[in-house]
Structures are given as structure tokens and as C-alpha cells.
């Protein structure tokens, strides 16, 4: 498979600018006019048409022919023809509900396993996991099930930080992930900080970006993963 799972899309440099080298590498084997589908369903307060324009402008230099999935006359045919599937961030519960309502989840998983490239950030990275249970989002809608695409055999927590503002009495992110690991002790969780991503190929995985990631598993002490080749396993 050929996946790029990003923690975030926006930065001080601009929308997706920090990730463009990795995105170009993802698509280097594709034709310049590769057919791509953008899935905007994680957008809730962001209009889907506006979201598609934002992403299209950010990736314009790649030359991909990007079609917003919500505007496709035949979403099934659009996904079947796509060389790249792009899944944007926002609310993961809404993303999963909209895809499940359209009965597109099995098709998306099959297309990526058959060779379509997958680019996701934030909620789009959560969607690539076995479930969406390690998203940071509020469950504003009921998606029917937490099961996701299972393109990777572990969980991801995008935007990972263990920051704890003074005076804040709620749990840290590490404490929340410890709760998940206590409930699912055999399932690894990769905490991806801002500016990082996970590059997944058939021959292995690579942590891209300038920062370390954190690997959680059961009741073990969290492990630090350095940029470069990584292994995520129980």
C-alpha cells in the first residue's frame, strides 16, 4: 500500500505547505494528471465546497485532477477510478457517519489495498486505523460503529501533545490514551505531534517530519520513536 497519514494540515507556513515534500513523494509514481478524489465529510462548520477549493488550491502544483466526492454524480465510480484518495480533517465521527451512510467504507478500503494511494490528515488519519477510538474529537453524531478502514493495524492519535495548561484540572492526552490502552492492551497507539506524518509502504513505515512520535501499548512506559524507519507492533 501507499499511504501518508499526517497529524495536521495547517501551519504557519500555510495550508499543507509543511507536508508538500512528503505528498509529492507519495505521488511520484503517478502520472501528472492522476485522478484523485477528495473526501470532505469531516467538515462540519466548514462548507464542503469551500473545503474542496482549499485543498485543490493547496495541491494545485501537483497537477492531480481532484474531484470532491460530495459532488460526484456517481461516488462509487469516482472511487473506482481514483489513483489517489484524499481524506481531510475535521470531526472524525461525522466523517465516518457520512461514509457509512453512503456505504463507501468497504470500497475505499478495497481500493487502497488494490493500490490507490491514500492521503489523510487528522480525521483522515484516524479513518485509516482499525477504529476511530483514539480521535480527539467530540462525538457530535452517532456513526453507527467506531470501526474504520483498518489500513494499518494500530491506532493513531493526531495532534499529539501532553501539554497541561496551568490550572486545568482535566486529563492530559497521555492520561486519555492510557485509558484506551487499559481497555485495549494489545492495540498500539502512535501519538503523532504537529508537523509529523507516517509514511506507509509495502516495505515498511517511516516517521516523517522534524519531531519524535510517542508509542503507547498497554501499561508499558510510552516509547519514543525518532524520525526515520519505525516499527509499530504489539
Amino acid at each position: 500500500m501507499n499511504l501518508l497519514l499526517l497529524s495536521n494540515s495547517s501551519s504557519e507556513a500555510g495550508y499543507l505547505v509543511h507536508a508538500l515534500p512528503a505528498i509529492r513523494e507519495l505521488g511520484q509514481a503517478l502520472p501528472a494528471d492522476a485522478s484523485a478524489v477528495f473526501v470532505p465529510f469531516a467538515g462540519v462548520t466548514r462548507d464542503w465546497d469551500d473545503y474542496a477549493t482549499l485543498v485543490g488550491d493547496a495541491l494545485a502544483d501537483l497537477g492531480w485532477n481532484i474531484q470532491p466526492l460530495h459532488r460526484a454524480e456517481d461516488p462509487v465510480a469516482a472511487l473506482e477510478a481514483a489513483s489517489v484518495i484524499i481524506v481531510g480533517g475535521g470531526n472524525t465521527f461525522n466523517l465516518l457517519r457520512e461514509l457509512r451512510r453512503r456505504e463507501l467504507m468497504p470500497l475505499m478500503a478495497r481500493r487502497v489495498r488494490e493500490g490507490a494511494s491514500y492521503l489523510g490528515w487528522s480525521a483522515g488519519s484516524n479513518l485509516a486505523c482499525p477504529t476511530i477510538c483514539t480521535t480527539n474529537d467530540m462525538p457530535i453524531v452517532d456513526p453507527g460503529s467506531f470501526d474504520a478502514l483498518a489500513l494499518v493495524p494500530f491506532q493513531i492519535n493526531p495532534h499529539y501533545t501532553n501539554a497541561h495548561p496551568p490550572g486545568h484540572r482535566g486529563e492530559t492526552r497521555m492520561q486519555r490514551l492510557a485509558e484506551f490502552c487499559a481497555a485495549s492492551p494489545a492495540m498500539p497507539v502512535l501519538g503523532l505531534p504537529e508537523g509529523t506524518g507516517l509514511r506507509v509502504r509495502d516495505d515498511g513505515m517511516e516517521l516523517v517530519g522534524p519531531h519524535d512520535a510517542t508509542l503507547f501499548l498497554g501499561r508499558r512506559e510510552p516509547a519514543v520513536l525518532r524520525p526515520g524507519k519505525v516499527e509499530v507492533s504489539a
Side-chain angles (χ1 to χ4, degrees):
M1 293 190 294
N2 189 35
L3 287 70
L4 177 60
L5 309 175
L6 302 170
S7 176
N8 59 297
S9 56
S10 60
S11 69
E12 293 181 1
Y15 199 78
L16 288 173
V17 172
H18 71 286
L20 280 177
I23 296 173
R24 289 193 181 96
E25 193 276 332
L26 175 82
Q28 66 181 2
L30 302 175
D33 60 347
S35 175
V37 166
F38 172 61
V39 182
F41 301 145
V44 179
T45 57
R46 173 177 278 163
D47 178 82
W48 290 348
D49 285 336
D50 293 343
Y51 200 175
T53 298
L54 177 66
V55 171
D57 290 347
L59 302 180
D61 288 348
L62 299 178
W64 295 347
N65 179 19
I66 302 177
Q67 179 181 20
L69 187 60
H70 72 286
R71 300 189 68 179
E73 183 175 335
D74 185 342
V76 170
L79 287 169
E80 289 283 12
S83 298
V84 186
I85 298 173
I86 306 168
V87 185
N91 187 278
T92 313
F93 294 91
N94 200 68
L95 168 65
L96 186 57
R97 183 184 71 161
E98 293 296 329
L99 286 170
R100 186 162 281 126
R101 285 170 61 181
R102 292 165 171 79
E103 300 181 345
L104 296 175
M105 293 285 289
L107 171 59
M108 287 179 63
R110 174 174 63 79
R111 288 292 298 119
V112 177
R113 294 186 184 283
E114 288 175 347
S117 299
Y118 184 97
L119 168 62
W121 53 87
S122 192
S125 294
N126 285 129
L127 190 71
C129 301
T131 74
I132 66 165
C133 290
T134 51
T135 179
N136 304 308
D137 302 327
M138 185 177 290
I140 60 171
V141 295
D142 181 359
S145 168
F146 296 151
D147 291 344
L149 296 176
L151 301 176
V152 294
F154 51 84
Q155 294 294 126
I156 289 174
N157 179 246
H159 311 288
Y160 176 73
T161 175
N162 200 40
H164 201 190
H168 179 66
R169 302 305 175 190
E171 290 82 358
T172 64
R173 188 75 59 78
M174 183 179 289
Q175 289 170 323
R176 287 300 192 198
L177 293 178
E179 292 175 343
F180 173 86
C181 290
S184 303
M187 177 60 70
V189 183
L190 183 64
L192 286 178
E194 304 293 63
T196 64
L198 188 68
R199 187 71 175 85
V200 181
R201 306 177 184 85
D202 286 336
D203 61 351
M205 295 183 295
E206 180 182 0
L207 180 65
V208 297
H211 305 300
D212 300 338
T214 305
L215 180 63
F216 300 87
L217 180 64
R219 298 189 182 275
R220 300 180 191 174
E221 283 295 312
V224 174
L225 300 184
R226 311 292 185 190
K229 294 288 186 181
V230 294
E231 292 186 9
V232 181
S233 59

